């Protein structure tokens, strides 16, 4: 199968990444853990630019999971400090590059300062027409589904709906504005989903890379995209 043919067959609109391995990168380089996350933030900038260059429309990045709240408080504070810095300073670069920033997750659980910075960043970039970068913050797939169900129960009590199907259910998810995920990438060699986008990855192609997130380069992204383009997506349709 030629690449040209498979590119047409497999449009790549939406990539989701589990940016894993920042702590191990810091350890490997004898640095404090937060230095791994700083290097990870640089990889995020690099990969956002690379994905935009390759005409990817949506990039959803697992930044802080619901389960990550169980890590120690010092680590959490340091990570949110870094995130605040990113939202304050990186936003100018994102805006200049025509990036639209969005977030998914249980926003109410985030520190107030972060909530404000998110509102500001989303508002500033809302009319940009380049790649949409979605940060998953205080996010997990199960939590998202349960929050959706609670809203559905309320809407049902208020007589707004009396039944639900796949399409209308999707409308209640945090990701309701975004297309399904074509390609899922996890770095660091771990081969699991870790509660990411459970509903949305029903027919996503999965790629696991053995490199730690701070070392992830445009070449690694291109390799994953190439693998994706050579896959045969069947959606249960074909008989051998
Ligand atoms: C993943 O990096 C990113 C976050 C959870 C914020 P880790 O912190 O999980 O890095 P490792 O897995 O310990 O190397
Ligand atoms: C998933 O990585 C969450 C993020 C990348 C934000 P984890 O490091 O938390 O996942 P596990 O614990 O290895 O499954
Ligand atoms: Mg990890």
């Amino acid at each position: 199968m030629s690449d040209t043919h498979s590119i047409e067959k497999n449009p790549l609109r939406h990539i989701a990444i589990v940016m894993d391995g920042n702590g191990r990168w810091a350890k490997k380089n004898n640095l404090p853990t937060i230095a791994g996350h700083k290097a990870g933030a640089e990889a995020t900038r690099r990969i956002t630019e690379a994905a935009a260059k390759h005409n990817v429309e949506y990039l959803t990045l697992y930044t802080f999971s619901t389960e990550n709240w169980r890590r120690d408080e010092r680590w959490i504070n340091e990570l949110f400090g870094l995130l605040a810095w990113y939202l304050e300073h990186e936003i100018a670069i994102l805006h200049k590059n025509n990036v639209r920033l969005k977030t998914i997750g249980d926003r109410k659980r985030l520190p107030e300062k972060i909530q404000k910075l998110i509102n500001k960043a989303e508002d500033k970039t809302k009319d940009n027409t380049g790649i949409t970068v979605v940060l998953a913050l205080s996010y997990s797939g199960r939590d998202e589904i349960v929050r959706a169900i609670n809203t559905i129960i309320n809407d049902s009590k208020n007589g707004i709906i009396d039944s639900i199907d796949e399409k209308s259910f999707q409308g209640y998810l945090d990701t309701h504005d975004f297309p399904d995920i074509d390609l899922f990438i996890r770095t660091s060699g771990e081969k699991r989903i870790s509660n990411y986008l459970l509903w949305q990855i029903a027919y996503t192609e999965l790629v696991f890379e053995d490199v730690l997130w701070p070392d992830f380069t445009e070449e690694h992204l291109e390799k994953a995209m190439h693998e994706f383009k050579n896959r045969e997506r069947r959606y249960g349709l074909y008989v051998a």
Side-chain angles (χ1 to χ4, degrees), residues 17-29 33 35-37 39-40 62 71 75 186-190 192 209-216:
I17 306 184
V18 180
M19 310 184 289
D20 199 16
N22 300 294
R24 275 164 283 171
W25 184 93
K27 202 169 238 171
K28 200 181 88 183
N29 290 287
T33 310
H37 293 288
Y62 211 0
R71 294 192 183 187
W75 179 88
R186 181 171 189 146
T187 58
S188 89
E190 307 298 341
R192 55 178 170 269
E209 266 296 336
D210 231 341
V211 61
L212 303 172
W213 175 248
D215 291 330
F216 196 78

Side-chain angles (χ1 to χ4, degrees), residues 49-169:
E49 284 173 13
K53 189 176 111 188
H54 288 283
N55 297 321
V56 173
E57 292 171 54
Y58 297 86
L59 182 65
T60 298
L61 302 169
Y62 211 0
T63 307
F64 185 86
S65 75
T66 305
E67 287 74 25
N68 290 152
W69 284 115
R70 290 153 65 193
R71 294 192 183 187
D72 78 65
E73 211 181 312
R74 209 179 115 212
W75 179 88
I76 293 175
N77 288 338
E78 282 186 342
L79 192 85
F80 279 118
L82 182 64
L83 182 67
W85 187 91
Y86 178 90
L87 289 169
E88 272 169 344
H89 298 276
E90 194 73 12
I91 199 66
I93 300 171
L94 295 177
H95 189 52
K96 190 173 120 268
N97 291 338
N98 199 20
V99 174
R100 186 167 69 122
L101 191 89
K102 301 287 276 179
T103 61
I104 54 172
D106 188 358
R107 195 181 289 206
K108 291 190 309 298
R109 274 191 87 176
L110 296 171
E112 223 166 278
K113 180 181 175 188
I114 297 285
Q115 292 189 38
K116 282 192 183 135
L117 286 169
I118 290 171
N119 289 340
K120 225 170 127 186
E122 285 188 339
D123 193 55
K124 188 178 171 77
T125 61
K126 70 177 189 309
D127 297 323
N128 289 345
T129 53
I131 190 168
T132 299
V133 171
V134 184
L135 301 182
L137 288 168
S138 190
Y139 174 88
S140 78
R142 286 186 176 178
D143 182 67
E144 177 191 35
I145 289 167
V146 169
R147 282 187 288 107
I149 289 170
N150 279 316
T151 312
I152 290 166
I153 291 170
N154 265 327
D155 281 359
S156 166
K157 276 191 203 149
N158 294 329
I160 296 167
I161 50 162
D162 58 13
S163 71
I164 199 104
D165 58 18
E166 284 190 14
K167 193 160 180 286
S168 55
F169 183 74

